[in-house]
């Protein structure tokens, strides 16, 4: 059985599968489109919300260094993703990469993981978007009934109609085509970047040097109690990370990592890129560099405008301008945040549907979902199915507790991709690689270690929920995927013909 569980799909066969007419996606994206996608999905909840949370609770003004640490972890993974995406330009991202290097079962595990990651990410961000829109409507004197408002933190029966409506509208846009998605994203990203630059430029005039002192606040122990929220590393080794001090920066990095989630979504669009060998590395690395620079600049400005102990947790950027007596900027930022979160939802939804499509095309999920629309050349069936499911989940469920599952899912994907680069270098040194990860195996090993470190800083209950999802995934694979695998059928046919 072990030979079938770890059978690998040749890169050449993966590329051939993309040329089958009923499964072929339209190639319409450029390096600029990919970079816009990356910036569009990365700049979102993290920069508009998490800056205040980690500054106030973990790192003080040194939150800028936490963003640097998280950015470095992502950069290590990005170098590995760039090699894979240019070598195996096929939809599916880490799932496809794992299939080519580690085998079918590891590929299934990572694909199942990505489905959860992107689904929860889309739902969480849509609920956040709903909150911003509801706030803007309230400012205009329009109030939604409580039963139709945001469910984040709410109790009792209700339906977040704004979050559900957003997901359904974006589902329709994705069905119509990725080029249309790219055009919509370009407009929204332009607005979002303009808001971020406004924060940096205008906020710089209100910075006070005293607010930076101390830049790295004195270390304090994590308060005792609440064992369910204890990081796994504390339960395993009895060591509690610091809220502040130097180690507090690393604790903060594991939190702000959510702000960087999304650059790996760029890799899911490899099959729809006109020149993936050249453009995928540019899109992945370019978007990450741009966003890390903006994150650091924003965090420096905001902690300089307002003392870190006084920063708002829910809307730190907008409230920092309110505190300096400039409410107009606060309203502009809130509008930009609402607009910006739209692209985050759309690109996360795009990433999920492409992974689902790739798994279906390989037979690990029902092949009904692997056929593209005859006119738009998009995977319309999984897009519609997943869009409706996520809309329902976002409408009925307050997802703040589940958001950490997105972090652990992404970090797990980073680990798999980094290991896959090492294995594919050894097993297929002959493959043409338009981009090569430097210093292999040092960079991939460092990527694995950094990702695992951040995973250990996540709560133990997050690990438990992740384990439950993985157990369900194993059951689906052994009950359906393993026996319906196209690779398995090809292997069996080849064996029969040689007998």
């Amino acid at each position: 059985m072990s030979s079938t569980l770890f059978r690998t799909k040749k890169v050449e066969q993966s590329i051939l599968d993309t040329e089958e007419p009923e499964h072929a996606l339209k190639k319409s994206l450029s390096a600029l489109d990919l970079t816009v996608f990356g910036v569009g999905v990365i700049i979102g909840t993290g920069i508009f919300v998490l800056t205040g949370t980690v500054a106030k609770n973990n790192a003080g003004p040194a939150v800028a260094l936490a963003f640097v640490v998280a950015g470095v972890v992502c950069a290590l993974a990005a170098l590995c993703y760039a090699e894979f995406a240019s070598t195996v330009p096929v939809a599916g991202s880490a799932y496809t990469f794992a299939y080519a290097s580690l085998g079918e079962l590891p590929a299934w595990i990572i694909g199942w993981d990505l489905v959860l990651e992107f689904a929860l990410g889309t739902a969480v961000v849509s609920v956040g978007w709903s909150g911003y829109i509801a706030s803007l409507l309230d400012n205009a004197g329009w109030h939604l009934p409580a039963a139709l408002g945001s469910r984040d933190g709410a109790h009792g029966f209700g339906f977040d109609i704004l979050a559900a409506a957003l997901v359904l509208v974006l589902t329709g846009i994705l069905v119509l085509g990725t080029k249309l998605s790219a055009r919509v994203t370009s407009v929204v990203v332009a607005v979002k970047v303009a808001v971020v630059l406004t924060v940096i430029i205008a906020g710089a005039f209100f910075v006070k040097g005293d607010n930076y002192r101390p830049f790295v606040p004195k270390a304090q122990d994590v308060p005792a109690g609440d064992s369910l929220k204890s990081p796994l590393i504390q339960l395993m080794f009895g060591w509690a990370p610091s809220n502040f001090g130097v180690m507090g920066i690393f604790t903060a990095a594991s939190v702000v990592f959510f702000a960087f989630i999304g650059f790996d979504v760029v890799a899911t669009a490899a099959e729809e890129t006109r020149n993936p060998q050249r453009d995928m590395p540019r899109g992945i690395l370019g978007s990450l560099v741009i966003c890390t620079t903006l994150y650091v600049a924003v965090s420096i400005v905001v902690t300089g405008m307002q003392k870190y102990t006084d920063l708002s947790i829910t809307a730190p950027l907008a409230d920092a301008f309110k505190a300096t007596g400039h409410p107009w900027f606060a309203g502009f930022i809130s509008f930009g945040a609402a607009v910006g979160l739209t692209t985050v939802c759309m690109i996360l939804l795009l990433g999920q549907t492409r992974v689902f499509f790739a798994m279906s095309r390989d037979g690990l999920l029902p092949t009904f979902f692997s056929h593209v629309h005859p006119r738009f050349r998009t995977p319309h069936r999984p897009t519609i199915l997943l869009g409706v499911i996520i809309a329902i989940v976002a409408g009925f469920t307050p997802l703040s507790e589940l958001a950490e599952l997105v972090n652990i899912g992404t970090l797990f994907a980073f680990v798999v991709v980094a290991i896959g680069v090492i294995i594919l270098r050894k097993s297929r040194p002959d493959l043409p690689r338009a981009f090569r990860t430097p210093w292999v195996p040092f960079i991939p090993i460092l990527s694995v270690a950094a990702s695992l470190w951040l995973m250990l800083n996540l709560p133990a209950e997050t690990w438990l929920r992740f384990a439950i999802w993985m157990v369900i995934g194993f059951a689906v694979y052994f009950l359906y995927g393993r026996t319906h695998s196209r690779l398995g059928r090809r292997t069996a046919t080849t064996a029969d013909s040689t007998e």
Side-chain angles (χ1 to χ4, degrees):
M1 175 185 286
S2 60
S3 61
T4 61
L5 297 181
F6 294 94
R7 55 196 174 199
T8 57
K9 184 178 182 181
K10 290 185 177 180
V11 173
E12 293 83 355
Q13 185 60 57
S14 295
I15 295 175
L16 282 175
D17 287 347
T18 69
E19 298 172 358
E20 297 173 350
E22 69 272 24
H23 303 307
L25 298 172
K26 184 177 181 180
K27 297 181 182 296
S28 60
L29 302 178
S30 65
L32 178 60
D33 292 328
L34 295 173
T35 303
V36 168
F37 270 147
V39 173
V41 73
I42 297 173
I43 296 182
T45 305
I47 198 168
F48 291 118
V49 177
L50 291 181
T51 304
T53 301
V54 294
K56 194 167 187 175
N57 298 334
N58 301 105
V63 62
L65 299 181
F67 276 116
V68 172
V69 171
V72 169
V73 174
C74 287
L76 294 172
L79 291 171
C80 299
Y81 267 89
E83 174 169 329
F84 256 129
S86 61
T87 307
V88 193
V90 179
S93 186
Y95 159 76
T96 300
F97 307 156
Y99 215 159
S101 56
L102 301 177
E104 185 171 280
L105 180 58
W108 166 266
I109 293 172
I110 197 64
W112 188 252
D113 162 61
L114 290 175
V115 168
L116 174 71
E117 172 199 337
F118 293 148
L120 287 183
T122 305
V124 169
V125 176
S126 69
V127 171
W129 177 89
S130 172
Y132 273 108
I133 292 297
S135 176
L136 289 172
L137 291 176
D138 287 342
N139 291 339
W142 300 336
H143 307 287
L144 282 175
L148 298 178
S150 173
R151 296 280 305 148
D152 194 23
H155 299 281
F157 180 81
F159 186 79
D160 192 335
I161 192 171
L162 292 177
L166 173 66
V167 175
L168 293 177
V169 169
L170 296 180
T171 296
I173 292 175
L174 289 175
V175 168
L176 294 177
T178 52
K179 191 61 180 179
L180 174 61
S181 306
R183 289 170 180 164
V184 172
T185 302
S186 298
V187 174
V188 177
V189 168
V191 174
K192 185 158 49 175
V193 171
V195 171
V196 173
L197 291 176
T198 298
V199 172
I200 296 171
I201 297 172
F205 290 97
F206 309 118
V207 168
K208 296 180 179 178
D210 289 341
N211 290 332
Y212 290 127
R213 290 190 283 267
F215 189 74
V216 182
K218 184 179 179 181
Q220 299 176 4
D221 293 333
V222 173
D226 197 8
S227 59
L228 283 177
K229 299 300 288 185
S230 298
L232 184 66
I233 193 171
Q234 180 178 354
L235 298 183
M236 291 175 62
F237 305 109
W239 175 79
S242 297
N243 265 358
F244 294 98
V246 175
M247 292 308 299
I249 296 173
F250 292 98
T251 304
S254 68
V255 178
V256 301
F257 180 80
F258 183 84
F260 287 92
I261 286 175
F263 84 83
D264 55 325
V265 177
V266 177
T268 67
E271 193 174 325
E272 296 161 272
T273 304
R274 288 194 292 264
N275 188 347
Q277 288 76 15
R278 180 196 67 189
D279 295 341
M280 288 306 300
R282 293 181 179 180
I284 293 173
L285 297 171
S287 59
L288 186 60
V289 169
I290 291 171
C291 293
T292 302
T293 303
L294 292 176
Y295 275 10
V296 172
V298 165
S299 59
I300 289 175
V301 168
V302 170
T303 53
M305 291 176 62
Q306 192 175 20
K307 190 70 174 178
Y308 75 92
T309 53
D310 299 326
L311 283 174
S312 163
I313 290 180
T314 55
L317 275 61
D319 289 348
F321 277 97
K322 286 182 181 179
T324 59
H326 296 82
W328 183 88
F329 284 112
F332 179 63
I333 292 168
S334 295
F335 171 76
V339 172
L341 292 179
T342 305
T343 57
V344 179
C345 286
M346 182 168 67
I347 300 169
L348 286 174
L349 185 59
L350 179 145
Q352 187 198 37
T353 57
R354 270 42 178 185
V355 173
F356 198 94
F357 169 77
M359 296 173 74
S360 174
R361 187 168 58 190
D362 289 332
L364 301 182
L365 289 171
T367 55
F368 171 82
F369 298 107
S370 66
H371 297 278
V372 298
H373 193 281
R375 177 183 176 186
F376 303 121
R377 310 306 299 173
T378 56
H380 60 297
R381 290 173 179 173
T383 301
I384 294 171
L385 171 70
L386 296 170
V388 170
I389 292 175
I390 294 172
I392 294 172
V393 171
F396 280 114
T397 313
L399 295 168
S400 55
E401 288 296 318
L402 298 181
E404 288 153 340
L405 276 171
V406 184
N407 277 17
I408 196 170
T410 303
L411 289 164
F412 181 63
F414 287 2
V415 171
V416 171
V417 170
I419 295 173
V421 166
I422 299 174
I423 293 176
L424 201 62
R425 282 283 188 97
K426 291 183 176 296
S427 62
R428 293 298 306 274
D430 57 305
L431 283 175
R433 291 171 168 83
F435 179 89
R436 298 176 68 89
T437 304
W439 303 321
V440 173
F442 175 73
I443 291 294
I445 291 174
L446 191 58
S447 177
V448 170
S451 298
L452 288 175
W453 171 257
L454 292 187
M455 289 174 74
L456 289 173
N457 280 278
L458 290 170
E461 63 179 357
T462 300
W463 281 83
L464 178 61
R465 290 167 177 163
F466 183 66
I468 292 172
W469 178 253
M470 288 293 106
V471 168
I472 296 173
F474 274 103
V476 174
Y477 174 74
F478 284 103
L479 292 176
Y480 182 89
R482 182 169 170 268
T483 56
H484 290 79
S485 166
R486 290 185 70 188
L487 178 60
R489 291 199 298 269
R490 288 193 188 111
T491 304
T493 301
T494 303
D496 291 340
S497 63
T498 57
E499 290 180 357

